[in-house]
Amino acid sequence: MTEMPDMSAANRYLKKDPDWWRGAVIYQIYPRSFQDSNGDGVGDLLGIAQRLPYVASLGVDAVWISPFFRSPMHDFGYDVSDYCDVDPMFGTLSDFDEVIHSAHMLGLKVLMDLVMSHSSIEHPWFKESRSSKDNPRANWYVWADAKPDGTPPNNWLSIFGGSSWQWDPTRCQYYLHNFLTEQPDMNFHEPALQDALLDVAKFWLDRGVDGFRLDTVNFYTHDKQLRDNPPLAPEERNPITAPAVNPYTWQNHLYDKTQPENLDFLARLRALMNGYDAAAVGEIGEDQRGLEVLGDYTRGDKHLHMSYAFELLSDHAPTAAYIKQVMDDVEEKAPGGWACWAFSNHDVVRHITRWNIPEEAARLYMTLMMCLRGSACLYQGEELGLPEAVLSFEDIQDPYGKRFWPAFKGRDGSRTPMVWDGNALNGGFSSNMKPWLPVSHDHLSRTVADQEKDPLAMLHHYRRAIAFRHSHAALKTGAISEVCCEGTVLTFRRCLDREELFCAFNIGDAPVTIEAPEGRWHQVGGELGSAGPAPDGKLHFGRWQPVLALKQ
């Protein structure tokens, strides 16, 4: 293990309010595609450090950096072979320290993506575990005997297709893999495994990270009895965790994940993090009971701080009625919980393309997100209004896309390199003639450099919307109430102490008029296109327009 460099505590640890994460705006960085500092065609940690002043200029509170651990890269870093080192592709531990130092100097917190439900098949823990049935780590992974006919222990399926069980001839047993066969699942019923993973978390907390994004957090534990999952009727299927063409969505996943023992481990992790004022946002992969699990995992102060919510990562553009339903469902199914909302990430088609919306609609949705109760996560490039990149089969790298092509084309269309300067090679991402994924030509007219010079560009709207959120405490941590839908208009109130805001959004492409709220209100958010009061006392919305008002 590399020695810790000589960094002062002031640079390594950022002093922060323990509740800094409530209402925070987090910027997700996919390191392979953010900035290449050494010309090898792949983004890296020093490239991230170089671009952090830009990230800070957006006004966000934190960055979430997708995995950069040592890995054979079967799933691009989500298959970890060493939890306490950086893959040479991304740099060194000293480079990571530079990211921490640079971020903290800019007032940015750093969340790192921690993948604990599974490791790489090449991790030393797994190599030892598979070597025999009686070695010290024999029980650190999920092993099971075959049925008498040699078939897998049960009917559990992998998200990446096929059975989630893989035969191992050394132990003459199957091992569990909820994802690729190269990603064996760890056995959280084993106390020594839990202790080892908590040591990993402590390693990075000691190094200065401000928290974690916990990958597939509800997959940690499995049913000890290995019971079959029941089938799911076609009308009940909700393809969020996997695409509809994957039979994974045909099961009711009662036993392969989301077990009650999971909360016990999360309580141990939370106790550790409390000593650092660190925060965790969990990714819950659950199609049927997502909000209920969100509530269970984030309610109170014993488990997760917040949970990544999938409801606004929907296939179709959220309507006013849909968003009201989501807010009502959160209140009903996850009371006391805390969501982290997102429209785009590295696993889904970018939302401008996915929803097939014009730029003015994208601006309204961003304004809306900044007014919702919860925290928010932005994905690199969405502040530029980037559409999904179109790639040929020959260009894609994602094993998921290769397996289900062409019905599902994988996730690389949202992972292409960030575009910084249209006059530079590869949009300023890399000096390499052939970066790991091609730069989208559609993106080169939407670069950071071009938008910085245009005060009307999407980039500046994102900055204004984030600043608006930070200027009103009620939007960050206040209650949400009176959520209503009237045609295409969504309205609600946000309140904290003596501050009350009325928020209304015409989520549609036609003008509309509704009655104004009773009482005395002062228009705010003019910089976001907010409509003002009309002489007739009504609210007149243009297409894709908000009305934001502060109670006097």
Side-chain angles (χ1 to χ4, degrees):
M1 188 180 298
T2 303
E3 288 296 315
M4 184 87 69
D6 183 18
M7 289 176 62
S8 69
N11 290 340
R12 190 181 307 145
Y13 303 113
L14 184 66
K15 184 174 177 59
K16 47 195 176 286
D17 185 305
D19 283 336
W20 66 265
W21 50 274
R22 288 192 184 274
V25 181
I26 303 164
Y27 186 88
Q28 182 193 354
I29 292 174
Y30 193 69
R32 293 177 73 100
S33 298
F34 201 58
Q35 180 64 61
D36 172 18
S37 71
N38 61 5
D40 66 355
V42 179
D44 46 51
L45 292 175
L46 288 182
I48 292 173
Q50 174 188 336
R51 294 295 187 180
L52 284 177
Y54 163 77
V55 178
S57 79
L58 299 174
V60 300
D61 301 281
V63 295
W64 148 28
I65 305 175
S66 292
F68 49 82
F69 307 103
R70 279 189 179 269
S71 168
M73 300 294 165
H74 292 293
D75 190 24
F76 299 106
Y78 285 90
D79 50 323
V80 180
S81 59
D82 187 340
Y83 282 100
C84 294
D85 201 3
V86 172
D87 194 275
M89 174 186 298
F90 299 120
T92 66
L93 280 170
S94 293
D95 294 342
F96 177 74
D97 294 331
E98 180 59 30
V99 170
I100 290 287
H101 171 75
S102 300
H104 288 175
M105 291 292 286
L106 292 163
L108 289 170
K109 289 91 172 172
V110 177
L111 304 179
M112 60 181 292
D113 213 322
L114 192 53
V115 189
M116 295 198 286
S117 71
H118 52 267
S119 76
S120 166
I121 200 169
E122 297 182 22
H123 196 291
W125 295 349
F126 184 74
K127 290 181 177 180
E128 182 175 355
S129 185
R130 79 188 312 182
S131 67
S132 69
K133 294 181 181 180
D134 57 2
N135 66 79
R137 294 190 173 93
N139 200 39
W140 282 33
Y141 290 81
V142 184
W143 295 96
D145 292 330
K147 290 181 178 179
D149 63 358
T151 57
N154 59 30
N155 70 346
W156 295 354
L157 296 174
S158 164
I159 285 180
F160 284 164
S163 171
S164 63
W165 296 98
Q166 178 69 22
W167 180 252
D168 181 77
T170 301
R171 284 185 55 144
C172 285
Q173 286 183 306
Y174 284 95
Y175 68 83
L176 180 69
H177 61 92
N178 276 297
F179 299 91
L180 294 174
T181 56
E182 294 86 357
Q183 294 170 296
D185 273 59
M186 288 191 268
N187 180 19
F188 276 74
H189 295 294
E190 171 56 56
L193 182 275
Q194 288 195 22
D195 292 344
L197 290 173
L198 291 173
D199 286 343
V200 168
K202 187 177 187 303
F203 173 85
W204 292 105
L205 290 166
D206 285 342
R207 213 157 191 108
V209 301
D210 303 286
F212 304 107
R213 182 266 192 182
L214 298 173
D215 184 66
T216 59
V217 70
N218 60 314
F219 283 75
Y220 290 175
T221 51
H222 63 285
D223 174 48
K224 274 188 171 182
Q225 300 178 51
L226 302 182
R227 285 171 284 188
D228 280 352
N229 284 327
L232 195 64
E235 63 272 14
E236 295 180 29
R237 295 172 190 166
N238 184 27
I240 296 175
T241 306
V245 295
N246 187 343
Y248 183 87
T249 62
W250 299 5
Q251 289 186 357
N252 188 357
H253 293 271
L254 294 182
Y255 298 116
D256 51 351
K257 59 185 179 181
T258 323
Q259 300 304 294
E261 300 95 327
N262 222 25
L263 292 172
D264 298 332
F265 175 76
L266 293 179
R268 297 186 68 195
L269 180 61
R270 177 68 175 258
L272 171 65
M273 297 179 69
N274 285 345
Y276 300 82
D277 291 333
V281 53
E283 179 202 28
I284 294 172
E286 172 55 60
D287 294 353
Q288 306 303 315
R289 299 169 294 277
L291 288 177
E292 290 93 333
V293 179
L294 183 151
D296 291 342
Y297 280 35
T298 64
R299 189 178 297 113
D301 58 2
K302 300 295 185 185
H303 304 113
L304 293 178
H305 300 76
M306 51 187 164
S307 172
Y308 201 68
F310 284 81
E311 281 69 22
L312 299 184
L313 286 160
S314 50
D315 286 342
H316 301 288
T319 63
Y322 176 79
I323 296 172
K324 170 181 163 45
Q325 185 62 57
V326 169
M327 295 301 110
D328 290 346
D329 286 346
V330 169
E331 183 64 26
E332 176 191 349
K333 299 175 181 178
W338 196 266
C340 183
W341 303 108
F343 295 148
S344 285
N345 65 27
H346 65 296
D347 280 335
V348 299
V349 173
R350 288 184 176 274
H351 67 274
I352 280 189
T353 299
R354 194 171 78 246
W355 297 344
N356 190 26
I357 54 173
E359 186 170 301
E360 58 190 323
R363 291 171 186 260
L364 180 81
Y365 280 116
M366 173 56 179
T367 303
L368 168 64
M369 180 188 281
M370 292 299 99
C371 294
L372 291 177
R373 185 176 187 271
S375 300
C377 192
L378 313 176
Y379 179 52
Q380 66 182 51
E382 76 167 81
E383 75 277 13
L384 305 177
L386 298 185
E388 182 82 349
V390 178
L391 300 175
S392 67
F393 180 78
E394 291 71 29
D395 285 330
I396 67 167
Q397 305 292 325
D398 185 10
Y400 206 176
K402 290 179 179 179
R403 181 153 196 171
F404 287 98
W405 184 281
F408 174 64
K409 297 183 178 181
R411 300 163 293 181
D412 288 338
S414 64
R415 298 177 176 184
T416 57
M418 183 74 170
V419 285
W420 301 99
D421 184 350
N423 294 319
L425 180 65
N426 296 313
F429 163 70
S430 174
S431 61
N432 193 291
M433 293 302 294
K434 189 174 175 60
W436 81 284
L437 283 177
V439 175
S440 169
H441 291 294
D442 284 346
H443 292 179
L444 292 174
S445 62
R446 299 173 169 90
T447 65
V448 171
D450 285 340
Q451 295 198 30
E452 288 283 13
K453 294 180 284 191
D454 180 4
L456 300 180
M458 179 76 80
L459 171 59
H460 296 292
H461 179 81
Y462 266 67
R463 286 183 174 136
R464 289 189 289 266
I466 294 167
F468 182 76
R469 181 181 184 88
H470 285 312
S471 66
H472 296 284
L475 294 181
K476 293 193 69 173
T477 61
I480 187 170
S481 63
E482 299 183 39
V483 183
C484 299
C485 171
E486 187 174 337
T488 60
V489 176
L490 174 75
T491 63
F492 53 83
R493 302 193 186 203
R494 298 296 310 278
C495 304
L496 182 68
D497 299 328
R498 301 179 68 177
E499 184 180 53
E500 180 176 350
L501 284 102
F502 173 79
C503 305
F505 305 87
N506 178 21
I507 308 176
D509 58 5
V512 66
T513 300
I514 67 170
E515 295 293 331
E518 294 183 358
R520 297 180 60 198
W521 297 88
H522 170 67
Q523 178 194 3
V524 291
E527 71 278 15
L528 302 175
S530 172
D536 62 3
K538 298 180 183 295
L539 298 180
H540 298 266
F541 297 81
R543 62 198 305 266
W544 307 109
Q545 186 174 28
V547 169
L548 304 166
L550 186 65
K551 195 164 192 177
Q552 294 182 311

